[in-house]
Amino acid sequence: MTLTWRKKLVFYLLLTVSAFVLFAPAILAFLMSFMTSADTLTGKVIPSVWTFDNYIQAFQRFPLLNYLFNSLIVSLAIMVGQLILSSLAAYAFVFLTFKGRDMLFFLFVATMMIPFEASIIPNFQTIRELGLVNTYPGLTLPFFAMAFGTFLLRQTFKQIPVELKEASEILGMGDFKFYLTVVLPMARTSLVTLGIYGFLTSWNMYLWPLLATTNDTVRTVQIGLKQLQSQETLNQWGVVMAGAVIVILPTLILLFLGQKKLQQGLAEGALK
């Protein structure tokens, strides 16, 4: 019993140290966002005077609300597009029978080995020819088809008993109704996981929004944050950190809500 208690103590101690090391940059950024310029110059860790001036200046120096709204629209659109296309493709690869299905799936998954940077120029030329530069479709459409999402959902759909599909056919249920009423509810946990992953990846995009936009009308918050950083001098890092904290908050809220949904889904799956 004593040995087990000691192991648990060491285990939780290591977890605490690891968590502190991982979150130290975020904690420092949060503290710096409340510092005055004098505190940042002197290298203090804890602000001598807590102030919200940095947050006020962050909203005043560039259109932060507009950038946040653009990022929200782009991230939600990409998330929904990926969920729809990935789930439909995964359904076809699992429940539909056609010649060359497995080979087509392997070719589809093989595209995961192609880095995004290798396709960024063809994608940019495509949206430019279609007149989609500085538009939401230009920022979102290239990311709807997602090999990883299809692979993840295919593995989940394969766990659904084939007998359910056979029973649905006997009852006269079509593929689309079976997909909506049976497959998607049973894959809820994987859908939530994929949705969170797609949203966070889209929210943190920098290179593609920088290429696909030339003005501030549809630019995302990551571009705005970089603009804020380039406009500031070394003695105003508190404003930059305040902007970074504002950008991080939506992702933290999503992770918190998504974690609760995942825990509920896993608990329901265990009860079943």
Side-chain angles (χ1 to χ4, degrees):
M1 183 66 67
T2 305
L3 183 60
T4 304
W5 181 83
R6 289 179 178 177
K7 286 183 177 179
K8 288 184 178 180
L9 179 61
V10 173
F11 176 72
Y12 284 111
L13 181 61
L14 291 176
L15 284 179
T16 303
V17 174
S18 301
F20 179 78
V21 172
L22 289 174
F23 284 99
I27 296 173
L28 289 177
F30 178 77
L31 294 175
M32 286 183 64
S33 66
F34 293 98
M35 290 184 184
T36 61
S37 299
D39 288 342
T40 57
L41 286 175
T42 55
K44 290 185 177 181
V45 177
I46 299 178
S48 58
V49 178
W50 293 75
T51 176
F52 286 94
D53 291 342
N54 294 327
Y55 289 90
I56 297 174
Q57 293 184 40
F59 280 98
Q60 292 177 345
R61 298 197 178 188
F62 74 109
L64 183 58
L65 287 178
N66 183 42
Y67 288 151
L68 288 171
F69 177 77
N70 292 336
S71 290
L72 182 63
I73 295 298
V74 171
S75 300
L76 288 176
I78 292 176
M79 180 186 70
V80 173
Q82 288 180 351
L83 288 175
I84 293 175
L85 292 183
S86 297
S87 59
L88 288 173
Y91 181 89
F93 284 128
V94 174
F95 294 104
L96 301 184
T97 303
F98 53 90
K99 188 175 180 180
R101 183 184 65 177
D102 294 337
M103 180 60 66
L104 181 61
F105 173 73
F106 291 140
L107 291 176
F108 191 69
V109 173
T111 59
M112 294 173 60
M113 295 185 292
I114 302 175
F116 172 72
E117 290 76 11
S119 61
I120 194 169
I121 299 302
N123 285 334
F124 176 74
Q125 291 177 343
T126 301
I127 68 166
R128 185 181 61 183
E129 294 298 326
L130 294 175
L132 298 179
V133 178
N134 291 321
T135 62
Y136 290 128
L139 287 170
T140 58
L141 287 177
F143 301 93
F144 280 6
M146 186 184 186
F148 171 75
T150 303
F151 173 78
L152 175 66
L153 294 181
R154 177 180 178 269
Q155 298 304 113
T156 301
F157 291 174
K158 288 180 68 176
Q159 298 177 8
I160 299 176
V162 182
E163 290 76 12
L164 289 178
K165 183 67 169 65
E166 296 173 351
S168 68
E169 293 175 351
I170 295 174
L171 294 174
M173 185 183 298
D175 285 309
F176 191 67
K177 187 175 181 180
F178 179 72
Y179 161 79
L180 289 177
T181 59
V182 178
V183 175
L184 292 186
M186 295 186 69
R188 181 169 49 190
T189 302
S190 296
L191 291 172
V192 172
T193 303
L194 181 60
I196 294 174
Y197 175 80
F199 184 91
L200 294 180
T201 303
S202 306
W203 183 271
N204 293 321
M205 281 195 307
Y206 175 77
L207 182 58
W208 179 250
L210 182 64
L211 292 176
T213 58
T214 58
N215 55 59
D216 295 339
T217 55
V218 294
R219 276 187 167 169
T220 57
V221 71
Q222 303 297 338
I223 308 299
L225 187 61
K226 181 62 178 177
Q227 290 177 350
L228 179 64
Q229 181 179 348
S230 62
Q231 292 173 2
E232 304 304 325
T233 57
L234 291 177
N235 62 343
Q236 292 180 323
W237 278 103
V239 179
V240 178
M241 293 300 105
V245 170
I246 295 172
V247 172
I248 292 173
L249 281 178
T251 61
L252 293 179
I253 295 173
L254 179 64
L255 286 174
F256 176 75
L257 297 177
Q259 185 181 16
K260 293 181 65 177
K261 291 292 183 181
L262 286 176
Q263 291 175 350
Q264 292 175 1
L266 292 174
E268 293 175 0
L271 291 176
K272 294 178 181 179

